[in-house]
Amino acid sequence: MATRRVRVPAADDLFRRTSDGAAGAEAKTRPVHAVPEPAEETPAAKKRSSGRVRHDEKMTVYITSEELLDLEHARLNLRAKHSIAVDRGRLVREALAIVLADLEEYGDDSALVHRLADPR
């Protein structure tokens, strides 16, 4: 009597690289994005978010419904008033890049340090 068990793929099969050797070697040498950097700016001003590229890492963040509404309002504001259409992920990546650049440039005087140090 044959068993009726279905073979389920292992985690290594599900999360393997999808590029073949030749294409993979080319992809490794190619830069993820090429953004020309303005000359003579502060190190913090040179930081940018990754923009619209394929992202290899994922992070889950839980936010309140009010924070989600604020994020959507900001996204719609950018679209309506500035003709900038971005998705929520891009908006969050840009905001993160701005905050991290501010932290790097100003350290103890950065907005992030002040907000996180506030006991509220």
Side-chain angles (χ1 to χ4, degrees), residues 3-116:
T3 61
R4 294 183 139 194
R5 295 186 110 183
V6 177
R7 184 186 178 282
V8 178
D12 290 340
D13 295 331
L14 293 173
F15 301 108
R16 66 177 165 38
R17 291 208 178 265
T18 56
S19 62
D20 60 300
E26 180 184 316
K28 288 179 187 173
T29 60
R30 206 175 30 179
V32 175
H33 63 341
V35 177
E37 294 185 17
E40 299 302 317
E41 287 192 24
T42 62
K46 292 181 182 180
K47 282 198 181 247
R48 298 291 307 212
S49 77
S50 56
R52 288 189 60 98
V53 297
R54 185 182 188 311
H55 295 93
D56 297 324
E57 303 298 328
K58 179 181 177 180
M59 182 177 91
T60 301
V61 177
Y62 292 93
I63 60 176
T64 65
S65 57
E66 184 178 333
E67 290 166 334
L68 182 59
L69 282 174
D70 290 343
L71 185 63
E72 279 299 313
H73 285 170
R75 191 181 68 78
L76 293 172
N77 184 342
L78 286 168
R79 187 174 188 174
K81 294 183 180 174
H82 305 282
S83 300
I84 300 172
V86 294
D87 59 33
R88 291 186 293 202
R90 171 90 189 272
L91 182 57
V92 169
R93 286 190 301 275
E94 288 293 341
L96 182 61
I98 291 167
V99 169
L100 293 178
D102 182 65
L103 176 64
E104 185 176 311
E105 185 171 347
Y106 297 107
D108 291 344
D109 292 328
S110 69
L112 182 63
V113 170
H114 286 286
R115 288 182 68 113
L116 293 176

